[in-house]
Amino acid sequence: MAMMTQSKYQTCIDECNRCAQACYECFKACLNEADVNARKNCISMLVECAQMCQMSASLMSMEGSFIKEHCQLCAKVCDKCAQECEMFNDDHCKQCASECRTCAEECKKMATM
């Protein structure tokens, strides 16, 4: 079995994975809120953000050809997701928004490496 090497992108990979997890957890929690109808845009954005973060982590892990461009887009998606989450006052939305902002910052740093 091969050993995993510590990627030069490890901080960003870890942050993308944390953000994806936060988005999926927030997605599940939002589905159970009484005002679920008011959260449609947020719920949709949560899934898009989680998918984008997962793809970014995968591409960085394999040192893909377009990771800088992908991470720039990931940062935009994370910022948009944070905006959506900030519209709601629940702890899960606040935590997710914070995680999305952190991920966006890491992705912006990575994109300028």
Side-chain angles (χ1 to χ4, degrees):
M1 181 186 271
M3 293 294 290
M4 274 182 35
T5 56
Q6 188 77 353
S7 170
K8 62 185 171 183
Y9 308 121
Q10 196 61 51
T11 303
C12 194
I13 290 169
D14 291 343
E15 193 49 55
C16 284
N17 286 326
R18 276 193 298 275
C19 188
Q21 181 179 351
C23 287
Y24 283 131
E25 289 174 359
C26 190
F27 166 79
K28 178 69 174 159
C30 280
L31 287 178
N32 292 314
E33 294 292 346
D35 63 344
V36 68
N37 221 32
R39 296 170 185 259
K40 283 182 178 174
N41 288 343
C42 186
I43 289 169
S44 177
M45 198 68 229
L46 286 164
V47 175
E48 188 172 343
C49 187
Q51 293 283 304
M52 181 62 81
C53 288
Q54 287 178 298
M55 187 180 285
S56 292
S58 297
L59 291 173
M60 283 183 281
S61 295
M62 62 182 248
E63 297 193 19
S65 301
F66 297 97
I67 52 177
K68 288 182 190 285
E69 296 87 347
H70 201 279
C71 285
Q72 286 172 328
L73 182 56
C74 189
K76 282 184 184 178
V77 173
C78 287
D79 280 335
K80 177 65 175 162
C81 191
Q83 268 183 344
E84 289 292 332
C85 284
E86 286 163 353
M87 295 168 76
F88 301 97
N89 223 5
D90 316 291
D91 284 343
H92 58 87
C93 285
K94 288 179 184 174
Q95 289 170 349
C96 187
S98 173
E99 202 58 65
C100 286
R101 295 281 184 208
T102 302
C103 188
E105 288 310 307
E106 264 322 305
C107 283
K108 287 172 192 167
K109 280 187 217 166
M110 202 299 294
T112 61
M113 268 185 173

